[in-house]
Amino acid sequence: MSETATTCPYCGVGCGVLAEPRGPDLAPVRGDPDHPANEGRLCVKGASLHETLGHHGRLLQPRVRGRAVTWPEAINAVARGLAETRDRLGGEGLGFYLSGQLLTEDYYVANKLAKGFLGARHLDTNSRLCMSSAVAGYKRALGADAVPGCYEDLDHADLLVLSGANPAWNHPILYQRMKRAKQAQPGRRVVLIDPRRNASAELADLHLALAPGTDAILWNGLLTDLADRQGLDQGYIDAHCSGFAEALAAARTSAPDAARVARDCGLAEADVRQFYDWFRATPRTLSFYSQGINQSSSGTDKCNAIINCHLATGRVGKPGASPFSITGQPNAMGGREVGGLANQLAAHRDYDTPGALEEVAGFWQAADMAQAPGHKAVDLFEAVHRGEIQALWIMATNPLVSLPDSNRVRQALERCPLVIVSDCVEDSDTLALADIVLPACGWSEKDGTVTNSERCISRQRAWLPGAGEARPDWWIISQVAAAMGYRQAFDYTSPAAIFREHAALSALNNQGQRVFNIGGLAGVTDQQYEDLKPIQWPVLPGARIGRQRLFGDGRFVTPDGRGRLLPITPRGPEQSCTPGYPLRLNTGRLRDQWHTMTRTGRAPRLLQHRSEPFVAIHPQDLAAFNLKDGDLAWVHNALGRFLGRLKVTHEQRPGELFVPIHWTDQFSREAVVSRLLAAVTDPVSGQPESKQGAVTLSPFKARWQA
Ligand code: SF4
């Protein structure tokens, strides 16, 4: 057997993987030396992929209300259920909740069926939980959901600002690249902005452990400082930007100088000044930001506060100089390319894009086109709770664990007359509440494309047969569409055919107003699709080469072609601490686990890094609550409770706890941290404020423990 070149299904770095079925035991996977994202390297999660495979724990057969059925029976049950609900309630009664784990082709077909043929606008994705504030920030400032930079910028940046990010654990291959760049040129600097002294602090020359939620004050203060100390690129602002005066006025009001910023952010003034000095003096500055910025009730504003500083200094889309949001999931970007968010239509068209509805409806020959944006993730499940959505199809995700206020999500699913779940695992908290379960192919069995955080489209190739009766998601959706009477529009025989259609739609009537354009790939043959090498979009019609960076010429895709600075008025977290709940809760990921552990939880060595739920706590708080390091304790508030072992650390600020997001009811009875988080969202992006909760602690008196 020869190796198959595919991609890692975990984080948004999107590393290339070489895999090979060899004998009864699978050979260890290895990094693909030809993939530009990782050049042969893999982190421990990626390197353990072969240990997560096998049929144990896999969903092998369709089931309808607990009864094993054939595929035709399952497809008919889904089609009947959706049709019956639509007859009663129209498209409003249908909901779809997708995942950044799906391949682009799966996403495309689901989006087309829901929005084009069922009139169902309530289709959203778990990417809402990780990236949507970054997306909204880019769209407001640059006119498009388009990351301007690329990974190579990490090699060129003289100042790297890690804001609300911990790449050492969450994007390890990029972190290694950051390290190598710094070692190659020790004069390069790294600033970490994060309330926690996370693992990436090891690389930082300066750590700004700011008070949670005060990022916009810090970045507004930087804009003020740049203006007051000749740090602006006035020529660039005049030629290429709009909104500068209003943005600066808002920055001055909230952050007039470094002293005030230091006070409001809980930082030393000298440290704030140091950051501002380095930013001002370093043209090649890359601001790398992630969930610590996005997962906030003002996440979009925080993104724009960062982008404001880059626009004001002309540092967008140039080698080593850009704002650069980094994605959590492997195909969050691919999902957005097809329109997999409730506020999107298809191929980077929004509902309010003039002519877009008619264009897409015509291209699809749509039978029943959704006419307006639908509910975003949190609101979608609220609509299920209210009984407005009565048939919900969840694909490749576990919202019962990942959404905030998950006890309420459980109630919503319990009330919903029809819950359909497509997944590759047999048990998850969400599957336990499904009426119809559909076995989907897992990583190693799926064939299609994904797009990573630098807009690079890569093939994910099947190298093992589907387990049991598992089928690709695109096939399942197409079969349901055919059973509902739309066979002609969903007559796909391969992911290549879907990809060609998607690429053609991206190029349709696109004279540059939409940056996402892969028309150059619309004519790929099946063999060319099979052989497709990683390529960064856009790939314009007539071309077969992508583009590394965007907007470096100062021309944006806003209506006037200018980059927009936004006036940002900083807002604190919605979840305030009170005397009853005096501790601020922060959540995040572990180095060796992925999301709800449905895969990484199968590899023993990945559980060795952190083997049980824990609560990171500062020694002062430990003493204040009369607890000891290693004690078991409840973290709780009015919404729910979490049981974990206390882990004392000076990495935490006093008054703040950190709890990982990974544990589920499958692994630990009382350790779903999302039960403690209120369903508060950013008003622009709809992204939940998953980094902020208000809680207290109580001892857990175990009679015995092992
Ligand atoms: Fe997979 Fe991300 Fe690790 Fe790369 S860095 S191997 S994509 S988990």
Side-chain angles (χ1 to χ4, degrees), residues 133-303:
S133 293
V135 171
Y138 282 138
K139 285 173 86 164
R140 293 202 302 192
L142 315 178
D145 167 15
V147 177
C150 60
Y151 296 162
E152 197 186 275
D153 289 329
L154 295 170
D155 307 334
H156 297 306
D158 295 320
L159 174 64
L160 175 63
V161 185
L162 305 175
S163 198
N166 180 13
W169 279 18
N170 300 325
H171 303 94
I173 293 301
L174 292 189
Y175 184 71
Q176 288 172 19
R177 191 163 181 164
M178 295 169 190
K179 261 179 129 168
R180 287 197 302 278
K182 194 155 191 283
Q183 280 158 3
Q185 215 166 306
R188 288 182 170 149
R189 294 194 177 95
V190 176
V191 175
L192 173 68
I193 303 171
D194 198 296
R196 281 195 310 145
R197 188 171 176 76
N198 66 41
S200 305
E202 166 212 38
L203 194 63
D205 300 281
L206 176 65
H207 174 210
L208 299 175
L210 79 182
T214 59
D215 310 74
I217 298 173
L218 182 69
W219 287 93
N220 267 1
L222 175 58
L223 188 63
T224 308
D225 190 78
L226 291 166
D228 289 349
R229 301 173 66 211
Q230 291 78 49
L232 302 171
D233 184 338
Q234 198 60 52
Y236 183 91
I237 294 170
D238 293 344
H240 300 298
C241 298
S242 64
F244 172 73
E246 295 84 352
L248 180 59
R252 269 197 204 294
T253 303
S254 57
D257 53 48
R260 172 83 173 273
V261 169
R263 191 196 75 191
D264 292 349
C265 296
L267 296 167
E269 186 180 331
D271 289 348
V272 174
R273 286 194 187 284
Q274 182 70 88
F275 169 47
Y276 290 176
D277 285 349
W278 284 348
F279 192 102
R280 192 180 64 253
T282 316
R284 290 191 170 203
T285 293
L286 195 73
S287 296
F288 185 97
Y289 53 100
S290 187
Q291 264 70 311
I293 294 293
N294 297 338
Q295 289 181 331
S296 156
S297 57
S298 56
T300 309
D301 281 354
K302 289 176 183 171
C303 293

Side-chain angles (χ1 to χ4, degrees), residues 8-15 38 41-47 170-174:
C8 176
Y10 295 130
C11 82
V13 180
C15 296
N38 56 318
R41 299 173 181 86
L42 290 179
C43 76
V44 64
K45 285 194 291 286
N170 300 325
H171 303 94
I173 293 301
L174 292 189

